[in-house]
Amino acid sequence: MTVDKAETEGRTERGSARGAATRSALLEAAAHVFRTVGFSKAGVSEVVQQAGASVGSLYHHFGGKADLFLALYEEFQQRQQERTHAAVSKARAEGETDPTRLMYASARAYLDGCIEERETTRLFFSGDGPPGFDSQLRVRLREWTDRNVALFRKADEPVDEALLMVVSGAMLLAVSEVVHRTDDDARRLADDVTELLSELRPRRRGQGGTEA
């Protein structure tokens, strides 16, 4: 490797590291500002001031405060995915095979994550977000629910839309409640909700879509 090439790669790595650090600082600042004054009242200037960055750097990494909000949500969802996946994997490793118990483990891990990140979760479930975010929130929770309801059925079986609606609706309401309660009360409610969910069963359908 030539000296010039090594220096170029070194600058690229340093620039990349600085860019990642700036992006992280902007997200952390945005989370603080959004939690403090709400998304609708927050301004780009407040975010960059909190981050110690420039307006130009914000628009280099994000399209604006809506993109910041969505990026924060995607990171939250990724952490939730990791929590629920770890919970189901742990349950399976301990010998659990019953689909309803696996659903219980997954749903409880999701609610526990909401309780642990109460302030962040409130941000997304407050109704104060970018235009269309409430709809996206419901879609993403429905997708998460569909992956878990899939534990109930074989690969060639159709989705039970009614079950999907009941579970996703229950989880949406549960999250909205647990983030406004004390830890002990929130965890008791999470226990009750996920215990009820674990009792749900998909309907058996015969030919023609009728219940068997």
Side-chain angles (χ1 to χ4, degrees), residues 88-99:
V88 171
S89 295
K90 181 175 182 291
R92 283 177 167 155
E94 292 173 350
E96 185 61 73
T97 59
D98 182 80

Side-chain angles (χ1 to χ4, degrees), residues 123-194:
L123 176 64
F124 303 127
F125 286 81
S126 66
D128 181 18
F133 178 72
D134 282 351
S135 176
Q136 180 178 339
L137 184 66
R138 289 192 294 272
V139 169
R140 292 296 296 274
L141 187 56
R142 184 183 174 94
E143 290 172 349
W144 176 87
T145 304
D146 188 26
R147 286 192 293 272
N148 284 279
V149 170
L151 296 170
F152 287 122
R153 67 179 190 272
K154 297 177 181 177
D156 58 346
E157 290 180 339
V159 174
D160 188 331
E161 290 290 338
L163 180 64
L164 187 58
M165 290 173 62
V166 169
V167 174
S168 60
M171 287 296 292
L172 187 62
L173 288 172
V175 171
S176 300
E177 283 293 320
V178 298
V179 296
H180 293 292
R181 302 191 179 203
T182 63
D183 280 357
D184 289 344
D185 195 21
R187 295 189 191 283
R188 278 194 295 269
L189 179 60
D191 279 339
D192 291 342
V193 169
T194 50

Side-chain angles (χ1 to χ4, degrees), residues 15 23 27 35 43 54 70-71 74 95 112 152 161 166 174 189 205:
R23 185 180 187 278
L27 285 172
R35 287 196 297 260
S54 66
L70 295 175
E74 290 301 324
D112 278 345
F152 287 122
E161 290 290 338
V166 169
L189 179 60
R205 295 182 179 274

Side-chain angles (χ1 to χ4, degrees), residues 13-27 60-62:
E13 289 176 1
R14 288 193 296 274
S16 178
R18 284 196 298 271
T22 300
R23 185 180 187 278
S24 179
L26 287 166
L27 285 172
H60 173 73
H61 292 281
F62 304 98

